[in-house]
Amino acid sequence: MPRRLFPATPSKLATFSDCPRRYRFAYVDRPTPPRGPAWAHNSIGAAVHAALRSWWELPVPRRTAGAARQLLYTAWSPAGFRDAEQSDRWRARAAGWLTEYVAGLDPADEPVGTERQVAATTERLALSGRIDRIDQRGDELVVVDYKTGRSVCTDDEARGSAALAAYVLGVRRTLRRPCRRVELHHLPSGTVAAFEHTDRSLANHVRRAEDVAADIGAATAALAEGRSPDDAFPATPGRQCGWCDFRPSCPTGQAATPARETWSFLADEA
Ligand code: SF4
């Protein structure tokens, strides 16, 4: 019998690596336990991503900086901010990032895809994911990931990102075109971090992803065989419990560290 492939997204694998209990809450327990409140930095990221996706959907002559600002305002959510004043201030700040970012783009340089779903299989995994943007550069396709966090991205981050490696495999498989370069476009600093994957670097990422999937399989089997959920999917308490979405359902995480304010990941606001 052929081996059944484990269906995985980069975030699913990362969730288990961070904390098996969090994985259980997100992907195993049904109904899903209640999640904590929304985060301001996620609201910013969602609005910027939505604005850029919509900007590329406009006719070329309408792809202007003003249109990008307008799209951001339409997509904006105040969820997670301390108050309306803070939300408005960050909306203006994000609009400034977008204005500068689209000024550096050629509106006529049509991407191959935006928010494009791709998939690939390995010996043990059925990987899938959604890519912010796929560019054509010469004969090759490039994976572009937008970032809006407070830290400037580094080339090491681009090299070490399991998600970006999975996207390269997905582009190759789904679009059947050469692809090895991945880029992190950090809008707040206007910088780009990049890495060019080799067969070896991709193989290393695949091996690590398959190891995580094997651990998930073992935990799932242990649960099915009657182990307690907390044994099969142990908690990994730490600093991350301060911002874990499932903290309200996790006494271990509550005891490990205080909850962070939902706007505390914004630069200069903690
Ligand atoms: S609060 Fe901490 S220990 Fe609990 S699920 Fe989240 S990350 Fe894991």
Side-chain angles (χ1 to χ4, degrees):
M1 286 287 285
R3 190 199 294 260
R4 198 162 161 265
L5 298 179
F6 180 77
T9 61
S11 72
K12 195 172 176 183
L13 296 174
T15 299
F16 187 88
S17 297
D18 284 350
C19 177
R21 180 183 285 183
R22 190 196 299 178
Y23 175 92
R24 191 191 103 216
F25 286 151
Y27 297 105
V28 180
D29 286 1
R30 293 294 179 267
T32 305
R35 293 174 187 261
W39 295 87
H41 64 286
N42 288 342
S43 294
I44 295 173
V48 167
H49 280 72
L52 281 168
R53 183 193 58 224
S54 300
W55 190 81
W56 283 112
E57 288 169 353
L58 294 172
V60 173
R62 291 184 52 208
R63 292 177 188 168
T64 62
R69 295 177 77 90
Q70 193 55 49
L71 289 167
L72 178 83
Y73 275 60
T74 303
W76 192 260
S77 162
F81 291 93
R82 182 178 51 218
D83 51 31
E85 181 276 328
Q86 189 185 53
S87 169
D88 290 352
R89 192 154 38 82
W90 278 87
R91 189 176 59 176
R93 204 159 165 172
W97 304 339
L98 258 186
T99 302
E100 291 196 14
Y101 184 70
V102 301
L105 298 174
D106 175 359
D109 189 7
E110 205 68 49
V112 174
T114 53
E115 305 237 340
R116 173 73 197 250
Q117 186 79 22
V118 295
T121 54
T122 72
E123 205 177 311
R124 292 161 185 248
L125 296 173
L127 278 171
S128 62
R130 188 182 299 274
I131 304 176
D132 290 345
R133 197 174 91 213
I134 303 170
D135 283 354
Q136 168 99 40
R137 312 258 180 87
D139 293 336
E140 297 204 356
L141 301 184
V142 173
V143 169
V144 173
D145 200 38
Y146 303 130
K147 292 290 179 189
T148 57
R150 61 183 175 185
S151 304
V152 174
C153 301
T154 64
D155 293 347
D156 271 354
E157 211 176 321
R159 175 174 57 83
S161 166
L164 294 179
Y167 297 157
V168 167
L169 294 171
V171 168
R172 289 180 178 186
R173 174 65 181 256
T174 305
L175 301 176
R176 309 242 172 238
R177 305 268 293 279
C179 177
R180 59 201 164 102
R181 183 175 174 84
V182 296
E183 293 182 348
L184 295 169
H185 290 204
H186 185 247
L187 273 75
S189 62
T191 57
V192 174
F195 182 67
E196 306 232 337
H197 274 291
T198 61
D199 288 346
R200 186 171 175 176
S201 65
L202 291 170
N204 286 338
H205 275 289
V206 166
R207 184 173 37 75
R208 282 194 289 271
E210 289 183 337
D211 285 349
V212 176
D215 289 345
I216 295 173
T220 306
L223 187 67
E225 285 160 11
R227 288 261 296 277
S228 82
D230 286 344
D231 273 353
F233 292 88
T236 310
R239 287 178 59 236
Q240 75 272 16
C241 301
W243 60 86
C244 174
D245 279 343
F246 294 106
R247 179 185 170 87
S249 307
C250 183
T252 309
Q254 291 168 23
T257 191
R260 290 186 65 143
E261 302 285 9
T262 56
W263 58 86
S264 64
F265 286 96
L266 304 178
D268 314 322
E269 301 274 356

